[in-house]
Amino acid sequence: GIASQVRLHCLRQMLEDEAHLQEQFHGVRLGLRQQQDFRSWLLQGAPERIGRQLPGHAELPRLQELRAPQEGQRLGQPLYRLFGLNPARIPPSSFTIAIDTPELMAERAAAAAVPVLKIKLGDDHDEARVVAIRRACASRLRVDANAGWSREKARRLLPRLAELGVELVEQPLPAGDLEGLRALRAINPRPPIFADESIKTSADIVAHAGSVDGVVIKLAKCGGLREAWRQIAVAHALDLSVMLSCMIE
């Protein structure tokens, strides 16, 4: 079952982390027992909570974020190390270009001069926006339709976006349209499709397996660090890519 897959993924990840810790952290060795203790805390109740809707309460992420540093202090390690991360190898973040006319968006993209851009889309001028930005800069491009496309529009745009070098498309269809997403995955060529608005719980990730290529995880959506880590583990166990993002918190 999915709970067993998650456990296996977490164990494999901990073993891989232990094997590479000296390289990643310049000789500072973190014991496997410390990682196990921390990740046991992170995954506490995970099998029972997979599929359970989290309370929609704004204080929940804040309370969990307060608890996580306490666990790090108890184990005598910074959080990034307990998560098995190396600050020197953080993936680049994208800079968002808000939806506007193609000309203004292209100007902002060129002025931003950043490695990765996320382009907000959602009306009849979407292709023109991406074309204008592609001509204006050499940044890597991602697009976010914010659930604003119809199936027909997505079928038409996805091959064109692939031609323009777009790396991925966030939430092309309304949340919950799993049948439509599965149909879009059959298109070739196309950029990878990531679900965002559709994903709030671990159960949502399970439901989207086979319908998307990846999921977007946000602390404000999922309920904090513990649930985010659980959702990452679920996604990876199902061979889904993960993009970490934020809202306005």
Side-chain angles (χ1 to χ4, degrees):
I2 180 60
S4 297
Q5 289 179 272
V6 171
R7 289 192 191 98
L8 286 172
H9 168 79
C10 293
L11 177 59
R12 183 167 59 249
Q13 187 65 53
M14 283 190 289
L15 292 173
E16 290 173 358
D17 288 343
E18 176 69 5
H20 295 291
L21 277 170
Q22 289 193 25
E23 172 192 350
Q24 291 180 350
F25 303 123
H26 310 290
V28 178
R29 184 175 179 80
L30 173 64
L32 182 60
R33 172 55 58 187
Q34 288 177 300
Q35 283 204 347
Q36 287 173 331
D37 288 347
F38 181 68
R39 292 183 179 186
S40 294
W41 173 77
L42 282 171
L43 289 168
Q44 182 180 351
E48 294 74 21
R49 293 190 61 181
I50 291 173
R52 185 183 303 173
Q53 178 68 45
L54 286 170
H57 196 288
E59 291 300 319
L60 182 59
R62 297 174 191 168
L63 291 173
Q64 290 191 2
E65 286 160 13
L66 287 172
R67 176 75 186 279
Q70 292 175 356
E71 289 297 311
Q73 290 171 3
R74 182 177 68 83
L75 296 171
Q77 297 291 343
L79 282 178
Y80 74 81
R81 189 170 293 146
L82 291 171
F83 275 106
L85 303 174
N86 184 347
R89 298 168 67 177
I90 296 174
S93 181
S94 61
F95 179 82
T96 299
I97 303 295
I99 193 166
D100 211 316
T101 65
E103 296 77 16
L104 283 176
M105 291 178 73
E107 289 179 14
R108 291 168 187 160
V114 295
V116 187
L117 289 172
K118 180 162 81 169
I119 307 166
K120 291 288 187 175
L121 303 177
D123 65 20
D124 293 337
H125 304 289
D126 286 345
E127 182 177 350
R129 290 186 173 96
V130 180
V131 169
I133 292 173
R134 178 73 293 162
R135 290 173 178 168
C137 68
S139 303
R140 294 159 51 191
L141 302 183
R142 302 166 181 174
V143 304
D144 186 357
N146 284 121
W149 292 349
S150 65
R151 294 185 186 183
E152 180 181 356
K153 180 174 181 177
R155 282 194 295 269
R156 177 176 59 83
L157 281 181
L158 286 176
R160 178 61 173 141
L161 294 178
E163 291 176 5
L164 293 167
V166 170
E167 290 188 343
L168 62 87
V169 177
E170 284 186 52
Q171 198 68 44
L173 302 180
D177 188 2
L178 294 177
E179 181 181 348
L181 289 171
R182 281 192 291 271
L184 294 183
R185 286 198 78 201
I187 295 173
N188 186 30
R190 62 164 177 82
I193 297 169
F194 279 61
D196 181 3
E197 283 84 352
S198 297
I199 305 298
K200 295 182 177 66
T201 69
S202 298
D204 295 329
I205 296 174
V206 176
H208 281 73
S211 299
V212 296
D213 302 292
V215 294
V216 179
I217 295 175
K218 300 174 179 176
L219 293 182
K221 281 197 308 179
C222 71
L225 291 171
R226 286 174 70 175
E227 185 62 21
W229 202 86
R230 292 184 185 119
Q231 291 188 11
I232 291 169
V234 170
H236 286 169
L238 295 170
D239 293 325
L240 291 169
S241 298
V242 170
M243 181 165 68
L244 299 181
S245 187
C246 64
M247 299 174 79
I248 58 172
E249 69 277 10

